[in-house]
Amino acid sequence: MCGADPGALRRGAVDSPAMPDAPISRSSRIEIGALGGHARSEVTVCGFVDTIRRHRSVVFVVVRDETGAVQVVANPDPAEPFAQALNDLSVGSAITVRGALVDNEVVKLGGLEIQASSLVVESLSEAQWPITEETSLDKRLDWRFLDLRKPENLLIFRTQTVIEHAFRELWAEDGFVEIHSPKLMASASETGSELFRLEYFDGYAYLAQSPQFYKQMAMAAGFGKVFEIGPVFRANPSFTSRHDTEFTSVDVEISWIDSHENVMAHEERMLHAALTAVKDRYGALIEELFGVNIQVPVLPFPRVTHEQAHEIVEASGYRVPRADGDLDPEAERRLCAHIAREHGHEFVFVTDYPAALRPFYHMRHDDNPGLTKSYDLLWKGLEITTGAQREHRHAVLRAQALEKGMSEDEISYYLDFFRFGCPPHGGFGLGLTRILMILLARANVREVTYLYRGPNRLMP
RNA sequence: GGACCUGUGGUGCAGCUCGGAGUGCACGCCGGCCUGUCAAGCCGGAGGUCGCGGGUUCAAAUCCCGUCAGGUCCGCCA
């Protein structure tokens, strides 16, 4: 170990310093964001070293915690008790600083600084970081914990917290019940083509691709209205900016509805509440860090039928190349552009999809069995939700399942939900990561997912 | 799964058409100078299997083939 890493000895000296003085109380730290309103007196702050600017007789250290950043000014005189710590300090290190908080209008960072009287290196960072501001996303994801130290990344998850809280507030007021459905299943909940299979004792289990059947079970159980925010798993080898193999889904199911219209009305209220809350709480910060001015959507959202959507897209000079007639991403972008132009709205419900494009459990129109009582919700050109009124009549449901080629054995447990009385109901699934991606104008779901999972990424 | 694109010091790039010594830029890192910086500045330095394998050639970062990794879009979907 001699000389292999000349910094190691010095770091060792810092990590276990002689500490003659009483230790600084970390738990009495002031959050940096609160310093502006704090008395100009001795304060303790804890945080990561953001930058170090060294001069002969003065050193500036910018310290950042989860609430903000502040400049610390320190004297590098070898006679200072923290001289060695200051000399060895590196960007990224976790430190505790105590000193006099003073106003100084020369300081660009908030007009404040702390004149250090003591400085403790709690944990020294290696000097050379593997990532920088310029590093490509994939490499930053390898070092996600370092990437997440950036204030804008913290803001993503603060925003997510506000969104979920706004949803939960609304659900609580409306008497919804929260459920946590199992993620281990015996068989497919929908198509079966995109399931992860894993060993389960002497047999196999599958990871749930959706809580679909289980939230419908809650309707048969008489829970009335339920929600779940939880992980879902999709074994799609999808290489796009908007897909992942594990993501957080916001699921809702509501009993005693008249049609999918009631479901849409609930969802637009949810999004209105969430965006209002985000704008109130972080609108200015989001504008500053992401350049996004949040538009709280007007209620109700515009609605077009699937057929009307096609007419709008074709009028724009684009013919959907797909054989099955569903809207492709280009058509969805054009439709949203049209709605934004004509109605000044970022959202649009596309309703009444052909039965051929929808799963067996979507209810069909009484007067037109070729169309379902279903919808997608698009936001700024991206699909964020699929919802529908469900078919709750056992005989009809069973017939539609058989028509779609489902095996009765595989879904008999599901069909049982409808044999002993079940309310008319409907619901939807909403991709939380897609909401964040659109809301914060990020290019990719990987950036707004705490730890992204895709076909080629299981680490960290 | 399909199409197209990209792999060059720690990071981001240029160099590749038209082969000629690992050449260059910016940031970072290390050392030095500098009473107050705030994108600090100035001087010096270290750091490379040009993703990997094969081929063509006197000679390959450069041309060809294969392979691996990544990106964008499509398909699938939320």
Side-chain angles (χ1 to χ4, degrees):
Chain A
M1 70 184 268
C2 334
D5 176 0
L9 288 174
R10 296 203 308 271
R11 283 199 289 276
V14 172
D15 282 340
S16 52
M19 298 215 338
D21 303 322
I24 311 174
S25 166
R26 289 184 291 267
S27 59
S28 66
R29 75 174 175 127
I30 309 296
E31 290 187 342
I32 291 171
L35 287 174
H38 192 268
R40 299 299 178 258
S41 61
E42 283 282 304
V43 295
T44 299
V45 298
C46 298
F48 296 95
V49 174
D50 222 40
T51 58
I52 305 169
R53 293 185 284 270
R54 300 178 190 279
H55 300 261
R56 182 169 195 78
S57 55
V58 64
V59 175
F60 302 100
V61 178
V62 175
V63 182
R64 179 183 298 282
D65 69 9
E66 68 276 19
T67 65
V70 68
Q71 172 166 292
V72 171
V73 57
N75 184 351
D77 187 331
E80 291 281 355
F82 53 76
Q84 191 62 50
L86 185 64
N87 186 58
D88 294 339
L89 200 60
S90 55
V91 169
S93 298
I95 66 173
T96 298
V97 176
R98 184 157 178 81
L101 176 67
V102 299
D103 290 301
N104 184 344
E105 61 186 17
V106 175
V107 179
K108 294 181 180 175
L109 189 59
L112 277 179
E113 69 182 5
I114 295 171
Q115 297 169 338
S117 55
S118 57
L119 186 157
V120 175
V121 178
E122 311 285 3
S123 168
L124 199 63
S125 171
E126 292 184 19
Q128 183 81 64
W129 274 34
I131 61 168
T132 72
E133 279 296 313
E134 277 76 43
T135 306
S136 64
L137 180 60
D138 193 57
K139 215 170 283 186
R140 282 188 282 126
L141 293 183
D142 287 338
W143 295 94
R144 185 61 163 157
F145 65 99
L146 295 178
D147 193 42
L148 287 171
R149 285 192 194 173
K150 293 192 294 191
E152 58 266 41
N153 278 333
L154 177 58
L155 181 57
I156 290 170
F157 298 98
R158 289 198 190 281
T159 300
Q160 177 176 278
T161 303
V162 169
I163 291 172
E164 291 189 48
H165 185 250
F167 287 165
R168 287 174 189 279
E169 247 177 1
L170 188 147
W171 289 324
E173 285 167 14
D174 283 5
F176 277 70
V177 173
E178 178 164 12
I179 60 171
H180 299 288
S181 64
K183 305 308 160 195
L184 290 169
M185 305 177 71
S187 64
S189 53
E190 296 188 39
T191 65
S193 63
E194 50 186 29
L195 287 169
F196 288 109
R197 188 174 81 163
L198 48 94
E199 289 180 11
Y200 196 73
F201 302 107
D202 292 334
Y204 297 103
Y206 300 86
L207 289 176
Q209 62 186 179
S210 158
Q212 180 62 36
F213 288 179
Y214 294 129
K215 62 181 180 170
Q216 286 192 261
M217 192 186 95
M219 302 297 98
F223 280 24
K225 294 173 278 194
V226 301
F227 70 91
E228 173 165 7
I229 299 177
V232 296
F233 304 89
R234 305 280 167 94
N236 290 324
S238 294
F239 301 94
T240 76
S241 60
R242 61 190 185 279
H243 286 93
D244 28 28
T245 51
E246 174 179 353
F247 64 93
T248 304
S249 179
V250 178
D251 273 273
V252 165
E253 205 68 26
I254 305 169
S255 286
W256 310 114
I257 61 170
D258 293 317
S259 75
H260 52 312
E261 173 56 39
N262 302 113
V263 180
M264 292 189 281
H266 177 75
E267 183 172 10
E268 63 189 5
R269 275 180 62 219
M270 278 172 54
L271 288 165
H272 182 268
L275 294 182
T276 300
V278 170
K279 190 177 179 76
D280 285 353
R281 184 78 182 271
Y282 295 122
L285 201 52
I286 287 169
E287 174 116 43
E288 180 189 336
L289 296 185
F290 294 116
V292 173
N293 179 21
I294 294 170
Q295 304 291 321
V296 175
V298 174
L299 296 180
F301 294 0
R303 287 144 164 81
V304 299
T305 65
H306 184 260
E307 188 180 356
Q308 289 167 338
H310 267 281
E311 289 164 6
I312 290 166
V313 168
E314 276 168 31
S316 79
Y318 180 72
R319 192 178 160 76
V320 178
R322 296 168 53 113
D324 64 7
D326 201 358
L327 300 171
D328 68 359
E330 176 63 17
E332 291 176 340
R333 285 189 285 268
R334 282 172 178 257
L335 174 61
C336 283
H338 171 88
I339 296 293
R341 208 163 45 237
E342 298 295 315
H343 303 277
H345 212 285
E346 295 178 346
F347 291 87
V348 59
F349 284 114
V350 181
T351 66
D352 298 17
Y353 278 72
L357 298 176
R358 293 304 214 185
F360 73 94
Y361 53 81
H362 283 197
M363 182 177 273
R364 300 173 186 182
H365 282 282
D366 288 337
D367 55 354
N368 186 349
L371 293 182
T372 55
K373 298 171 79 168
S374 71
Y375 71 93
D376 277 4
L377 177 60
L378 310 184
W379 186 13
K380 291 187 179 178
L382 184 66
E383 178 182 338
I384 60 170
T385 282
T386 293
Q389 179 168 1
R390 321 301 187 187
E391 181 52 68
H392 63 284
R393 296 162 296 187
H394 179 265
V396 179
L397 184 62
R398 180 176 171 278
Q400 289 183 181
L402 295 177
E403 178 199 313
K404 290 271 186 186
M406 309 290 297
S407 143
E408 195 164 5
D409 284 350
E410 214 173 34
I411 57 163
S412 65
Y413 81 98
Y414 170 69
L415 293 173
D416 285 346
F417 301 163
F418 307 93
R419 289 172 56 199
F420 303 92
C422 184
H425 64 277
F428 62 88
L430 175 62
L432 187 59
T433 38
R434 287 193 176 179
I435 292 179
L436 284 164
M437 171 183 163
I438 297 295
L439 174 63
L440 302 176
R442 300 298 84 198
N444 207 301
V445 290
R446 304 194 263 285
E447 289 187 50
V448 300
T449 305
Y450 180 62
L451 289 168
Y452 164 75
R453 287 292 180 263
N456 293 318
R457 182 170 287 278
L458 284 169
M459 289 284 283

